[in-house]
Amino acid sequence: MTENWITEASDPDHLILAWQAPDEFRDRTRFAVGMLTCVEGVVRLRYFGDSEEFRRFNPGKSYAQMVTYGYSGYPGFASDSVEHSTGVIEAFMRRLPPRSRPDFAAYEQHLRVRPGTELSDFALLGLSEAYLPSDGFSVVDPLDLTEDQRQLVVELAGYRYYSSKVEGPLPSVGDKVEIVAEDDNAFDPRAVAVTFRGQKIGNINRLQVETFREWAAQGRIEAAVDRLNGRADRPRLFLFVRVAPQKR
């Protein structure tokens, strides 16, 4: 693959707010708990609460169970109010390095944003996912199928588990992987698997699987390992994904 740079950057109009329980609960589900929307530059946070929308985004999961894990809404935005519109983008941008930092360009390059590419704050949130292990919150771009082509970096879900079962060498930076629909997944028939040399090494984030399934069915995806980090007991793998223009 050629050098990994994001040159076609999406500017989404909504992002999913996700939350993951502390490790002690042994549930690695990224619960979809709300949505950030951006309309004419105004960013709002809307909670799903214990609703049909919550169950649609979290099939087989219980809102009550999530509360027992310690979920109580995003800090500073009470979950008993469905919608918040004041100070939302400012609060979430504090999860990222400020643009005023002299090394901010290096941070963008870490996200694989090509130097000189202009991004809105909302787009930057989507690219970075704004994950902080201290509170378990992140934001997820559900991806836009109408975009003709794009590049993105995604973290592989379940890599810690599946990497321990791989026979032979694990993937290294630059190694190509396959992204395929996993219809026989016993837990989620809409799952999308990532394989390396015929062995499963993880899954695509379930909040992005519908778009990835379409891209895979259209034969538009090329992906390779972009970086590996984390700890020995909690390895993390990130993919650089290229989505080719749809054939006319």
Side-chain angles (χ1 to χ4, degrees):
M1 294 180 72
T2 57
E3 191 175 8
N4 294 346
W5 287 118
I6 293 174
T7 57
E8 279 83 26
S10 173
D11 203 352
D13 59 11
H14 69 285
L15 301 168
I16 298 170
L17 177 62
W19 181 79
Q20 196 170 49
D23 283 350
E24 64 195 78
F25 293 102
R26 300 183 181 277
D27 187 339
R28 305 316 297 155
T29 301
R30 292 178 80 180
F31 292 92
V33 299
M35 187 174 292
L36 298 174
T37 58
C38 184
V39 179
E40 297 181 349
V42 178
V43 177
R44 292 179 168 83
L45 165 62
R46 178 174 59 82
Y47 287 119
F48 297 148
D50 189 2
S51 65
E52 286 301 319
E53 192 169 24
F54 174 87
R55 287 180 278 279
R56 177 168 63 85
F57 276 103
N58 304 280
K61 297 295 181 178
S62 162
Y63 186 87
Q65 180 66 58
M66 187 177 66
V67 171
T68 68
Y69 292 160
Y71 171 76
S72 59
Y74 190 81
F77 298 92
S79 59
D80 54 1
S81 296
V82 173
E83 186 170 295
H84 298 267
S85 59
T86 302
V88 175
I89 189 63
E90 293 83 1
F92 280 87
M93 286 302 291
R94 285 195 286 272
R95 304 179 71 83
L96 309 184
R99 292 181 183 269
S100 58
R101 274 178 50 161
D103 60 350
F104 185 76
Y107 173 71
E108 286 191 304
Q109 290 180 43
H110 172 72
L111 297 176
R112 294 294 182 256
V113 178
R114 187 174 64 181
T117 303
E118 294 187 5
L119 293 174
S120 69
D121 286 349
F122 203 68
L124 191 61
L125 283 175
L127 282 178
S128 68
E129 292 202 346
Y131 173 73
L132 293 178
S134 58
D135 64 9
F137 283 100
S138 59
V139 294
V140 179
D141 182 353
L143 308 174
D144 184 356
L145 266 177
T146 66
E147 291 180 330
D148 191 49
Q149 63 180 330
R150 70 168 298 175
Q151 307 89 30
L152 67 157
V153 175
V154 296
E155 182 174 2
L156 196 56
Y159 180 68
R160 173 171 50 169
Y161 172 77
Y162 288 104
S163 63
S164 67
K165 298 181 176 299
V166 169
E167 296 181 2
L170 291 170
S172 300
V173 172
D175 283 340
K176 290 186 178 181
V177 299
E178 298 293 326
I179 298 178
V180 294
E182 192 181 18
D183 298 334
D184 59 351
N185 186 299
F187 301 99
D188 182 2
R190 301 298 292 170
V192 174
V194 177
T195 64
F196 174 65
R197 297 179 180 175
Q199 298 184 76
K200 181 176 176 179
I201 58 171
N203 285 95
I204 294 296
N205 182 335
R206 67 183 184 82
L207 299 178
Q208 296 177 319
V209 294
E210 294 303 329
T211 304
F212 267 95
R213 287 179 72 91
E214 289 293 326
W215 285 339
Q218 296 164 359
R220 297 170 59 193
I221 302 177
E222 182 184 44
V225 178
D226 184 71
R227 65 182 187 271
L228 294 151
N229 58 26
R231 307 187 305 263
D233 63 337
R234 191 172 182 177
R236 302 174 69 187
L237 183 150
F238 295 80
L239 300 177
F240 190 91
V241 180
R242 284 184 171 84
V243 184
Q246 189 167 4
K247 295 179 181 179
R248 306 300 182 187

